[in-house]
Amino acid sequence: MPPLKCLQTFSAVMETGSFAKAAEQLNVTPSAISHQIRMLEDILGKPLFARRNRTVLPTEDAIAYANALGESFTRIAVATSRFASEGSVQRLMLHSAPSLATLWLVPRLGSFRARHPEIDLTLFAGHEPAKLGDDGVMIDIQYNRPVPEACEGVVLCEETIMPLASPAFVARHRLERVEDMGRVPLIHSVRSVVQWDQWVARHAPHVMLARGGMTFDRAYLGLMAARDGLGLMLESNLQAGGMLVAGELVAPFGPLGVTAVAHRVVFRREDRARPQIEAFLAWITEEMAADRARMDGPQRVSRAAP
Protein backbone atom coordinates (compact mmCIF):
# COMPACT_ATOMS: atom_id res chain seq x y z
CA MET A 1 0.00 0.00 0.00
CA PRO A 2 1.63 3.29 -1.06
CA PRO A 3 1.59 6.10 1.51
CA LEU A 4 -1.64 8.07 1.23
CA LYS A 5 0.43 11.25 1.00
CA CYS A 6 1.95 9.95 -2.26
CA LEU A 7 -1.48 9.14 -3.65
CA GLN A 8 -2.88 12.52 -2.66
CA THR A 9 0.10 14.24 -4.31
CA PHE A 10 -0.27 12.16 -7.48
CA SER A 11 -3.99 12.99 -7.65
CA ALA A 12 -3.25 16.71 -7.25
CA VAL A 13 -0.66 16.66 -10.05
CA MET A 14 -3.07 14.83 -12.37
CA GLU A 15 -5.82 17.34 -11.56
CA THR A 16 -3.73 20.50 -11.94
CA GLY A 17 -1.31 19.39 -14.67
CA SER A 18 1.84 20.68 -12.95
CA PHE A 19 3.98 20.21 -9.86
CA ALA A 20 3.83 23.91 -9.03
CA LYS A 21 0.04 24.10 -9.10
CA ALA A 22 -0.23 20.87 -7.12
CA ALA A 23 2.12 22.36 -4.51
CA GLU A 24 -0.12 25.42 -4.33
CA GLN A 25 -3.22 23.26 -3.91
CA LEU A 26 -1.66 21.15 -1.13
CA ASN A 27 0.17 24.09 0.47
CA VAL A 28 3.63 22.48 0.19
CA THR A 29 6.77 23.22 -1.81
CA PRO A 30 7.25 22.00 -5.42
CA SER A 31 10.27 20.00 -4.25
CA ALA A 32 8.04 18.15 -1.78
CA ILE A 33 5.68 17.30 -4.64
CA SER A 34 8.61 16.04 -6.73
CA HIS A 35 9.84 13.92 -3.82
CA GLN A 36 6.43 12.29 -3.29
CA ILE A 37 6.05 11.52 -7.01
CA ARG A 38 9.54 9.97 -7.17
CA MET A 39 8.69 7.82 -4.16
CA LEU A 40 5.48 6.62 -5.83
CA GLU A 41 7.33 5.89 -9.08
CA ASP A 42 9.87 3.82 -7.10
CA ILE A 43 7.04 1.85 -5.48
CA LEU A 44 5.34 1.20 -8.83
CA GLY A 45 8.59 0.56 -10.67
CA LYS A 46 7.70 2.77 -13.62
CA PRO A 47 7.64 6.48 -14.53
CA LEU A 48 4.39 8.36 -14.17
CA PHE A 49 5.31 11.66 -15.77
CA ALA A 50 7.52 12.84 -18.61
CA ARG A 51 9.25 16.00 -17.38
CA ARG A 52 9.82 18.68 -20.02
CA ASN A 53 11.20 22.03 -18.86
CA ARG A 54 8.59 23.28 -16.39
CA THR A 55 5.75 21.06 -17.55
CA VAL A 56 4.91 17.42 -16.83
CA LEU A 57 3.00 15.05 -19.08
CA PRO A 58 1.32 11.95 -17.60
CA THR A 59 2.21 8.59 -19.12
CA GLU A 60 -0.47 6.11 -20.20
CA ASP A 61 0.21 4.18 -16.98
CA ALA A 62 -0.40 7.37 -14.97
CA ILE A 63 -3.74 7.97 -16.68
CA ALA A 64 -4.89 4.39 -16.05
CA TYR A 65 -3.71 4.56 -12.43
CA ALA A 66 -5.50 7.89 -11.87
CA ASN A 67 -8.77 6.45 -13.18
CA ALA A 68 -8.51 3.51 -10.78
CA LEU A 69 -7.64 5.76 -7.85
CA GLY A 70 -10.57 8.06 -8.65
CA GLU A 71 -12.98 5.22 -7.94
CA SER A 72 -11.21 4.50 -4.66
CA PHE A 73 -11.29 8.14 -3.58
CA THR A 74 -15.02 8.25 -4.38
CA ARG A 75 -15.62 5.24 -2.14
CA ILE A 76 -13.66 6.91 0.66
CA ALA A 77 -15.79 10.05 0.28
CA VAL A 78 -18.98 7.95 0.30
CA ALA A 79 -17.90 6.05 3.41
CA THR A 80 -16.93 9.27 5.19
CA SER A 81 -20.26 10.88 4.35
CA ARG A 82 -22.12 7.79 5.49
CA PHE A 83 -20.49 7.63 8.92
CA ALA A 84 -20.50 11.40 9.40
CA SER A 85 -24.27 11.42 8.88
CA GLU A 86 -24.70 10.15 12.42
CA GLY A 87 -23.82 13.64 13.67
CA SER A 88 -25.99 16.73 13.99
CA VAL A 89 -25.92 17.51 10.24
CA GLN A 90 -28.28 15.32 8.24
CA ARG A 91 -26.84 13.95 5.02
CA LEU A 92 -28.83 12.58 2.12
CA MET A 93 -27.02 10.62 -0.57
CA LEU A 94 -29.19 10.45 -3.65
CA HIS A 95 -28.81 8.56 -6.93
CA SER A 96 -30.85 9.31 -10.03
CA ALA A 97 -31.30 8.32 -13.64
CA PRO A 98 -29.09 10.80 -15.55
CA SER A 99 -31.70 12.48 -17.76
CA LEU A 100 -34.15 13.17 -14.94
CA ALA A 101 -31.27 14.51 -12.83
CA THR A 102 -30.19 16.86 -15.62
CA LEU A 103 -33.56 17.99 -16.96
CA TRP A 104 -35.77 18.01 -13.89
CA LEU A 105 -34.07 17.43 -10.54
CA VAL A 106 -31.02 19.72 -10.51
CA PRO A 107 -32.94 22.84 -11.68
CA ARG A 108 -35.25 22.40 -8.65
CA LEU A 109 -32.74 21.55 -5.92
CA GLY A 110 -32.59 25.19 -4.88
CA SER A 111 -36.10 24.95 -3.47
CA PHE A 112 -35.18 21.77 -1.57
CA ARG A 113 -32.13 23.50 -0.06
CA ALA A 114 -34.22 26.53 0.86
CA ARG A 115 -36.75 24.33 2.63
CA HIS A 116 -34.21 22.00 4.28
CA PRO A 117 -30.93 23.84 4.91
CA GLU A 118 -30.16 21.26 7.61
CA ILE A 119 -29.76 18.51 4.99
CA ASP A 120 -26.52 18.20 3.03
CA LEU A 121 -27.36 16.50 -0.25
CA THR A 122 -24.98 14.51 -2.45
CA LEU A 123 -26.20 13.52 -5.91
CA PHE A 124 -24.86 10.75 -8.14
CA ALA A 125 -26.30 9.94 -11.58
CA GLY A 126 -26.09 6.79 -13.68
CA HIS A 127 -28.18 4.27 -15.57
CA GLU A 128 -27.36 1.32 -13.32
CA PRO A 129 -29.32 1.22 -10.05
CA ALA A 130 -27.53 2.21 -6.85
CA LYS A 131 -26.65 -0.31 -4.14
CA LEU A 132 -28.90 1.16 -1.51
CA GLY A 133 -27.36 1.02 1.94
CA ASP A 134 -24.06 -0.55 0.90
CA ASP A 135 -22.77 2.61 -0.81
CA GLY A 136 -24.40 5.00 1.64
CA VAL A 137 -27.07 5.94 -0.91
CA MET A 138 -30.50 6.28 0.72
CA ILE A 139 -32.67 7.13 -2.30
CA ASP A 140 -32.50 6.02 -5.93
CA ILE A 141 -34.73 7.61 -8.59
CA GLN A 142 -34.88 4.77 -11.09
CA TYR A 143 -36.09 4.69 -14.68
CA ASN A 144 -38.07 1.71 -15.96
CA ARG A 145 -36.80 -0.85 -13.43
CA PRO A 146 -38.59 -3.30 -11.10
CA VAL A 147 -38.57 -2.36 -7.43
CA PRO A 148 -36.30 -4.71 -5.40
CA GLU A 149 -38.09 -6.93 -2.89
CA ALA A 150 -36.58 -5.25 0.19
CA CYS A 151 -37.43 -1.77 -1.09
CA GLU A 152 -40.43 0.50 -1.47
CA GLY A 153 -41.06 2.42 -4.67
CA VAL A 154 -43.06 5.65 -4.99
CA VAL A 155 -44.24 6.53 -8.50
CA LEU A 156 -43.30 10.08 -9.44
CA CYS A 157 -46.09 10.58 -11.97
CA GLU A 158 -47.82 9.10 -14.99
CA GLU A 159 -45.88 10.33 -18.01
CA THR A 160 -47.19 10.97 -21.51
CA ILE A 161 -44.73 10.08 -24.27
CA MET A 162 -45.42 12.03 -27.47
CA PRO A 163 -43.71 13.47 -30.57
CA LEU A 164 -41.89 16.75 -29.92
CA ALA A 165 -39.90 19.14 -32.09
CA SER A 166 -38.67 22.71 -32.17
CA PRO A 167 -41.13 25.31 -33.54
CA ALA A 168 -38.67 26.06 -36.37
CA PHE A 169 -38.51 22.37 -37.34
CA VAL A 170 -42.31 22.13 -37.35
CA ALA A 171 -42.61 25.22 -39.55
CA ARG A 172 -39.84 24.15 -41.92
CA HIS A 173 -41.34 20.71 -42.53
CA ARG A 174 -44.96 21.87 -42.32
CA LEU A 175 -45.91 19.27 -39.74
CA GLU A 176 -49.67 19.54 -39.40
CA ARG A 177 -50.97 15.95 -39.50
CA VAL A 178 -49.48 12.66 -38.34
CA GLU A 179 -49.14 11.66 -42.00
CA ASP A 180 -46.50 14.39 -42.38
CA MET A 181 -44.09 12.66 -40.01
CA GLY A 182 -43.28 10.02 -42.62
CA ARG A 183 -41.03 12.46 -44.46
CA VAL A 184 -38.99 13.91 -41.58
CA PRO A 185 -35.90 12.62 -39.72
CA LEU A 186 -36.57 11.02 -36.36
CA ILE A 187 -34.62 11.09 -33.12
CA HIS A 188 -34.47 7.80 -31.24
CA SER A 189 -33.80 7.17 -27.53
CA VAL A 190 -32.56 3.64 -26.93
CA ARG A 191 -33.70 3.58 -23.29
CA SER A 192 -37.16 5.07 -23.71
CA VAL A 193 -40.05 3.02 -22.33
CA VAL A 194 -41.99 3.78 -25.53
CA GLN A 195 -40.33 3.46 -28.94
CA TRP A 196 -41.43 4.94 -32.24
CA ASP A 197 -42.95 1.70 -33.56
CA GLN A 198 -45.18 1.48 -30.46
CA TRP A 199 -46.37 5.07 -30.80
CA VAL A 200 -47.06 4.62 -34.53
CA ALA A 201 -48.97 1.38 -33.90
CA ARG A 202 -51.24 3.29 -31.50
CA HIS A 203 -51.77 6.57 -33.36
CA ALA A 204 -50.62 6.28 -36.98
CA PRO A 205 -50.51 2.63 -38.17
CA HIS A 206 -50.82 3.76 -41.82
CA VAL A 207 -47.69 5.94 -41.70
CA MET A 208 -44.35 4.62 -43.00
CA LEU A 209 -41.60 6.18 -40.89
CA ALA A 210 -38.47 7.62 -42.47
CA ARG A 211 -35.38 5.43 -42.12
CA GLY A 212 -32.22 6.57 -40.42
CA GLY A 213 -32.14 9.56 -38.12
CA MET A 214 -30.18 10.03 -34.92
CA THR A 215 -30.00 7.77 -31.86
CA PHE A 216 -29.01 8.70 -28.30
CA ASP A 217 -28.62 6.71 -25.10
CA ARG A 218 -29.76 9.57 -22.87
CA ALA A 219 -33.05 11.45 -23.14
CA TYR A 220 -31.50 14.84 -22.46
CA LEU A 221 -29.14 14.45 -25.43
CA GLY A 222 -32.02 13.61 -27.75
CA LEU A 223 -34.07 16.52 -26.42
CA MET A 224 -31.19 18.93 -26.99
CA ALA A 225 -30.93 17.66 -30.57
CA ALA A 226 -34.70 18.14 -31.04
CA ARG A 227 -34.49 21.63 -29.56
CA ASP A 228 -31.78 22.43 -32.12
CA GLY A 229 -34.04 21.35 -34.99
CA LEU A 230 -32.36 18.05 -35.85
CA GLY A 231 -35.47 15.88 -35.88
CA LEU A 232 -38.76 14.77 -34.36
CA MET A 233 -38.26 13.31 -30.86
CA LEU A 234 -40.47 10.89 -28.94
CA GLU A 235 -40.21 11.80 -25.28
CA SER A 236 -42.24 12.29 -22.10
CA ASN A 237 -43.83 15.49 -20.86
CA LEU A 238 -41.92 15.02 -17.60
CA GLN A 239 -38.46 14.95 -19.15
CA ALA A 240 -39.29 17.65 -21.70
CA GLY A 241 -41.40 19.80 -19.35
CA GLY A 242 -38.90 22.63 -19.01
CA MET A 243 -38.42 22.94 -22.77
CA LEU A 244 -42.17 22.79 -23.38
CA VAL A 245 -42.89 25.56 -20.88
CA ALA A 246 -40.09 27.66 -22.38
CA GLY A 247 -41.48 27.16 -25.88
CA GLU A 248 -38.26 25.50 -27.09
CA LEU A 249 -40.25 22.38 -28.00
CA VAL A 250 -43.85 21.88 -29.10
CA ALA A 251 -46.08 18.89 -29.81
CA PRO A 252 -46.97 19.26 -33.53
CA PHE A 253 -49.81 16.72 -33.37
CA GLY A 254 -51.22 17.82 -30.05
CA PRO A 255 -51.09 15.63 -26.92
CA LEU A 256 -51.28 12.35 -28.86
CA GLY A 257 -49.22 10.07 -26.66
CA VAL A 258 -48.72 6.80 -24.85
CA THR A 259 -48.96 6.94 -21.06
CA ALA A 260 -46.42 5.11 -18.94
CA VAL A 261 -45.15 4.87 -15.38
CA ALA A 262 -41.39 5.09 -15.75
CA HIS A 263 -39.75 6.94 -12.82
CA ARG A 264 -39.90 5.75 -9.21
CA VAL A 265 -38.30 6.94 -5.99
CA VAL A 266 -36.86 3.79 -4.44
CA PHE A 267 -35.59 3.34 -0.87
CA ARG A 268 -35.15 0.50 1.63
CA ARG A 269 -38.21 -0.16 3.78
CA GLU A 270 -36.04 -0.06 6.89
CA ASP A 271 -35.01 3.52 6.00
CA ARG A 272 -38.56 4.82 5.46
CA ALA A 273 -38.69 6.68 8.77
CA ARG A 274 -35.40 8.56 8.26
CA PRO A 275 -36.12 12.30 8.38
CA GLN A 276 -34.05 12.94 5.23
CA ILE A 277 -36.15 10.48 3.24
CA GLU A 278 -39.44 11.81 4.60
CA ALA A 279 -38.37 15.36 3.77
CA PHE A 280 -37.30 14.47 0.24
CA LEU A 281 -40.48 12.48 -0.49
CA ALA A 282 -42.71 15.32 0.72
CA TRP A 283 -40.75 17.86 -1.34
CA ILE A 284 -40.65 15.89 -4.60
CA THR A 285 -44.35 15.00 -4.31
CA GLU A 286 -45.23 18.70 -4.03
CA GLU A 287 -42.92 19.61 -6.93
CA MET A 288 -44.56 17.00 -9.16
CA ALA A 289 -48.02 18.30 -8.26
CA ALA A 290 -46.94 21.86 -9.08
CA ASP A 291 -45.55 20.65 -12.42
CA ARG A 292 -48.84 18.97 -13.31
CA ALA A 293 -50.71 22.18 -12.48
CA ARG A 294 -48.38 24.20 -14.72
CA MET A 295 -48.75 21.77 -17.62
CA ASP A 296 -52.53 21.44 -17.24
CA GLY A 297 -53.05 25.20 -17.07
CA PRO A 298 -52.03 26.81 -20.34
CA GLN A 299 -51.83 23.91 -22.78
CA ARG A 300 -48.08 23.81 -23.19
CA VAL A 301 -48.22 20.57 -25.13
CA SER A 302 -50.88 21.65 -27.59
CA ARG A 303 -50.47 21.64 -31.33
CA ALA A 304 -47.90 24.09 -32.67
CA ALA A 305 -49.31 27.28 -34.15
CA PRO A 306 -49.48 27.22 -37.97
Side-chain angles (χ1 to χ4, degrees), residues 1-12 40 65 69 73:
M1 178 70 185
L4 288 178
K5 198 167 187 178
C6 288
L7 299 180
Q8 183 186 26
T9 301
F10 170 70
S11 178
L40 185 58
Y65 193 44
L69 287 180
F73 287 149

Side-chain angles (χ1 to χ4, degrees), residues 133-206:
D134 291 348
D135 288 344
V137 178
M138 295 183 189
I139 289 177
D140 191 8
I141 304 179
Q142 298 181 356
Y143 179 74
N144 193 30
R145 289 186 178 275
V147 178
E149 188 175 343
C151 296
E152 184 177 339
V154 176
V155 174
L156 282 186
C157 67
E158 188 177 73
E159 303 173 39
T160 301
I161 293 87
M162 56 195 169
L164 303 170
S166 71
F169 182 89
V170 172
R172 184 168 69 249
H173 293 278
R174 297 181 181 178
L175 293 180
E176 298 175 358
R177 303 174 304 162
V178 292
E179 289 79 9
D180 299 331
M181 65 185 293
R183 50 183 171 78
V184 302
L186 302 179
I187 295 175
H188 303 267
S189 177
V190 295
R191 297 179 186 272
S192 177
V193 291
V194 178
Q195 296 294 323
W196 272 113
D197 56 350
Q198 295 170 278
W199 187 91
V200 168
R202 175 80 61 87
H203 296 292
H206 55 289

Side-chain angles (χ1 to χ4, degrees), residues 243-257:
M243 294 183 185
L244 287 166
V245 170
E248 296 175 321
L249 292 175
V250 294
F253 313 125
L256 284 180

Side-chain angles (χ1 to χ4, degrees), residues 81-105:
S81 178
R82 178 184 177 188
F83 285 100
S85 65
E86 302 301 325
S88 57
V89 176
Q90 297 179 31
R91 287 179 171 81
L92 174 60
M93 297 194 66
L94 172 67
H95 182 274
S96 173
S99 289
L100 187 80
T102 303
L103 295 165
W104 192 91
L105 183 58

Side-chain angles (χ1 to χ4, degrees), residues 261-296:
V261 171
H263 288 94
R264 290 180 175 84
V265 179
V266 179
F267 49 88
R268 298 188 303 176
R269 288 194 183 92
E270 62 193 82
D271 292 336
R272 181 64 175 84
R274 284 180 178 263
Q276 305 98 307
I277 291 181
E278 290 185 339
F280 186 82
L281 287 177
W283 170 80
I284 200 169
T285 300
E286 289 182 23
E287 286 291 323
M288 282 289 168
D291 264 18
R292 284 195 298 273
R294 280 193 293 270
M295 295 301 295
D296 292 343

